[in-house]
Amino acid sequence: MRKKILAGNWKMHKTIAESVALAQDIVTALKAKPSASEVIVCPTYVALDRVATVLAGSPVLLGAQDMHWESQGAYTGKISADMLKAIGVTYVILGHSEQRAYFHETDETVNKKTIKALAEGLKPIVCVGETLAEREAEITEKVVETQIRGAYAGISASDAVKTVIAYEPVWAIGTGRNASPQQAQDVHRFIRTLMASLYGDSVANAVQIQYGGSMKPENAAELLSQADVDGGLIGGAALKADAFLGIIASS
Ligand code: PGA
């Protein structure tokens, strides 16, 4: 049985003080009522260190929203895997559709980052997903397959099994319009079958595949009950403790 994995992607929201307060609320609630699921929060870079202090000794893990593929150097504005590890980060979101749409992320850069994260012992959350135009053109599977093949190029089975995949249909992100449970299940199944063809059944059966895109307490239970939906990457609903905890409670 794959463990459910729920990650809050805080994007470019919250000051350090607000991040600390939200992390504290989540930790306090989960101490009172522990969850069997894996729970991760991904604040902005500037809040990571302080949030790490809040999470210490709790089961909640820390994730970053991106990283660079080089170890160090003249890359103004960028953050390395080493820097994240030194803070206590264990997960890193890579290839988010907002990075792809606004910041020149490509399958090739996702691949470089995934390779680097794995080499450094960070667990990548590799994001894939089609746009509305691609869904309407009925090329969802082709798009997702290209993204997965690109992200995992040159990555071994023993490394691939350490990754998490987030299927996030772009048209569902931040729109309030989630994929239906069946739509999510269909693509998750497709991704698992693709992973089986790339890496064999044991990797495919072990790898956790999160759904992302307008997941909220009202729709989480049904989405999370699909056979191949192993968790959620949650944006808007992760910014309020009650909503995030509501999703965790339905996992
Ligand atoms: P959303 O974002 O939950 O606000 O749709 C999900 C994501 O982009 O990770």
Side-chain angles (χ1 to χ4, degrees):
M1 264 304 281
R2 292 177 297 270
K3 202 170 176 179
K4 293 274 193 279
I5 178 167
L6 300 161
N9 174 11
W10 296 359
K11 307 192 180 185
M12 197 174 74
H13 293 288
K14 301 203 178 282
T15 62
I16 294 176
E18 289 164 349
S19 301
V20 164
L22 176 55
Q24 251 151 7
D25 287 347
I26 294 165
V27 165
T28 304
L30 290 177
K31 266 187 187 148
K33 191 169 173 266
S35 169
S37 302
E38 216 168 320
V39 178
I40 306 161
V41 293
C42 307
T44 61
Y45 289 133
V46 292
L48 282 172
D49 194 36
R50 289 281 301 282
V51 169
T53 308
V54 176
L55 303 185
S58 88
V60 182
L61 295 168
L62 189 61
Q65 297 176 20
D66 188 26
M67 55 164 253
H68 198 266
W69 60 84
E70 292 291 348
S71 298
Q72 58 181 45
Y75 301 102
T76 301
K78 297 301 171 209
I79 301 282
S80 75
D82 260 356
M83 295 168 193
L84 298 178
K85 278 199 305 181
I87 295 173
V89 168
T90 50
Y91 282 90
V92 59
I93 298 170
L94 298 175
H96 191 279
S97 67
E98 287 147 18
Q99 288 285 337
R100 294 178 190 261
Y102 311 135
F103 304 112
H104 312 292
E105 187 89 274
T106 63
D107 292 337
E108 193 188 345
T109 58
V110 178
N111 179 237
K112 287 182 180 182
K113 291 173 180 181
T114 305
I115 290 169
K116 182 64 173 171
L118 288 163
E120 298 290 344
L122 290 169
K123 284 168 127 334
I125 297 176
V126 178
C127 302
V128 297
E130 82 288 1
T131 63
L132 185 57
E134 289 163 343
R135 175 158 285 265
E136 285 172 347
E138 296 179 8
I139 54 169
T140 295
E141 291 186 355
K142 186 165 163 278
V143 168
V144 168
E145 177 165 355
T146 302
Q147 291 171 333
I148 295 267
R149 284 185 184 275
Y152 286 83
I155 292 176
S156 67
S158 59
D159 271 342
V161 76
K162 296 175 194 151
T163 67
V164 174
I165 296 170
Y167 167 59
E168 300 204 301
V170 178
W171 48 271
I173 295 177
T175 59
R177 178 188 166 193
N178 59 287
S180 72
Q182 192 58 51
Q183 283 173 323
Q185 168 57 23
D186 288 347
V187 181
H188 282 232
R189 186 73 227 158
F190 172 77
I191 292 170
R192 202 175 304 287
T193 305
L194 176 59
M195 291 303 275
S197 77
L198 293 173
Y199 294 112
D201 286 345
S202 74
V203 171
N205 288 332
V207 81
Q208 292 158 305
I209 308 177
Q210 297 175 313
Y211 167 79
S214 299
M215 187 181 273
K216 45 189 180 246
E218 298 75 30
N219 61 25
E222 213 187 336
L223 284 161
L224 293 168
S225 68
Q226 302 302 306
D228 290 289
V229 177
D230 307 314
L233 182 55
I234 303 130
L239 296 173
K240 289 205 173 97
D242 284 354
F244 190 52
L245 291 162
I247 293 172
I248 295 169
S250 48
S251 69

